[in-house]
Amino acid sequence: MMTVNEVSKLTGVSIRTLQYYDKIGLLHPAKYTRSGYRLYDDMTLEKLQQILLFRELEFPLKDIKVIMDNPNFDRSKALEQQITLLMLKKEHLENLIDLARGIKAIGVNKMDFKAFDTSKIDEYAAQAKSLWGNTPEYREFEEKSKNRTAQEGQIISTQMMAIFYEFGTMLELAPNSEKVQSQVKKLQDFITGNFYNCSDEILYSLSSMYAGGGDFTESIDKTGGKGTAEFVFQAVKIYCNK
């Protein structure tokens, strides 16, 4: 565990900013001491990295919060976008450096402004924002989330993990059994009620992500027991006739 002061020194993010992130529900500490001091673990630091990379995409904080709270958030896809954007920015800076060195060496002999062109960066950032923000599900999720307090959001997250815990108690059953299939319907209804309209296609995509490894699989298996994420995927696959 690291204190807020240690995290600030490690990351370059001011203590005031970290406190603000906590206040708006964007990044809560892993825990608080009895004296009220914030403590951060590796998981919260990973989330902070993701937030800072999204800032490079020039997303407003409120949009970052909505995206990262969304159960459909794909961290790997977001990271690919962020890498591409950073490479474009690197190319832009290298062009500016070359221009400045040329001016220093031989002076300005023509009015060349190509190095100042940021259209490629702007276009890619717009595409990335469009991918995350211009879907009916995203807009519905944003509408349902905008007035939630951090405590309400945490309650919903806990309730959703309780559904996965219930899946974990059914691992001895066949994925196509009536009880398991009813649990899949419960998951679908919960997502629709609290996030966005969860069609069969969306549910199938989500379940694929649950079983795809990484944070989702680890979290679900930790809650329901090893193999729960894959079990959910198999049950959903049957439910959606895939």
Side-chain angles (χ1 to χ4, degrees):
M1 291 284 186
M2 299 180 68
T3 67
V4 67
N5 186 53
E6 289 171 334
V7 172
S8 178
K9 289 180 179 178
L10 175 68
T11 64
V13 179
S14 70
I15 294 175
R16 179 173 294 182
T17 296
L18 291 169
Q19 291 170 339
Y20 181 67
Y21 285 177
D22 183 15
K23 180 180 178 181
I24 65 175
L26 179 61
L27 180 71
H28 294 304
K31 62 185 295 186
Y32 299 88
T33 66
R34 290 182 179 178
S35 302
Y37 292 107
R38 296 170 173 84
L39 296 176
Y40 297 80
D41 60 9
D42 289 345
M43 187 172 294
T44 49
L45 290 177
E46 286 178 12
K47 187 173 182 180
L48 178 59
Q49 282 182 331
Q50 191 73 68
I51 291 168
L52 296 178
L53 285 169
F54 261 123
R55 293 295 285 161
E56 290 297 327
L57 282 170
E58 300 177 4
F59 275 50
L61 291 177
K62 65 181 183 65
D63 289 351
I64 298 175
K65 182 180 185 307
V66 170
I67 291 168
M68 296 187 68
D69 286 347
N70 190 330
N72 200 31
F73 174 61
D74 186 335
R75 189 173 71 169
S76 296
K77 184 181 291 184
L79 191 58
E80 288 176 8
Q81 293 173 333
Q82 291 156 350
I83 290 170
T84 300
L85 181 67
L86 290 170
M87 292 299 293
L88 288 172
K89 287 190 172 185
K90 177 174 178 283
E91 179 184 347
H92 175 64
L93 288 173
E94 287 174 344
N95 290 338
L96 288 174
I97 292 170
D98 289 343
L99 175 65
R101 284 174 173 165
I103 292 172
K104 181 180 179 182
I106 61 176
V108 180
N109 57 3
K110 63 177 180 177
M111 293 293 106
D112 186 355
F113 290 90
K114 290 180 182 178
F116 297 97
D117 184 8
T118 62
S119 59
K120 286 171 65 176
I121 297 173
D122 296 339
E123 180 181 355
Y124 187 83
Q127 288 175 355
K129 290 179 183 180
S130 176
L131 177 64
W132 291 109
N134 286 342
T135 65
E137 292 79 21
Y138 178 96
R139 291 191 291 271
E140 183 180 355
F141 178 78
E142 188 175 39
E143 182 64 27
K144 287 182 177 180
S145 304
K146 67 180 181 181
N147 294 320
R148 280 183 192 151
T149 65
Q151 184 178 8
E152 289 170 339
Q154 185 60 48
I155 290 172
I156 290 173
S157 295
T158 300
Q159 290 172 339
M160 187 163 180
M161 294 313 294
I163 292 175
F164 290 120
Y165 174 81
E166 291 169 359
F167 271 114
T169 67
M170 304 176 190
L171 293 178
E172 299 301 319
L173 300 176
N176 64 348
S177 68
E178 183 177 347
K179 185 175 182 180
V180 175
Q181 290 297 296
S182 294
Q183 187 70 7
V184 173
K185 181 67 164 58
K186 181 177 180 179
L187 173 63
Q188 185 179 40
D189 289 345
F190 183 85
I191 294 171
T192 295
N194 292 279
F195 301 110
Y196 45 72
N197 181 40
C198 185
S199 65
D200 286 359
E201 286 298 321
I202 290 176
L203 181 64
Y204 180 74
S205 295
L206 285 172
S207 68
S208 299
M209 191 161 55
Y210 296 157
D215 292 345
F216 280 114
T217 303
E218 182 179 342
S219 180
I220 292 171
D221 282 359
K222 183 177 180 180
T223 299
K226 186 173 178 59
T228 301
E230 178 62 26
F231 181 75
V232 172
F233 172 62
Q234 295 301 327
V236 169
K237 188 160 63 169
I238 294 168
Y239 181 88
C240 298
N241 296 314
K242 294 291 186 182

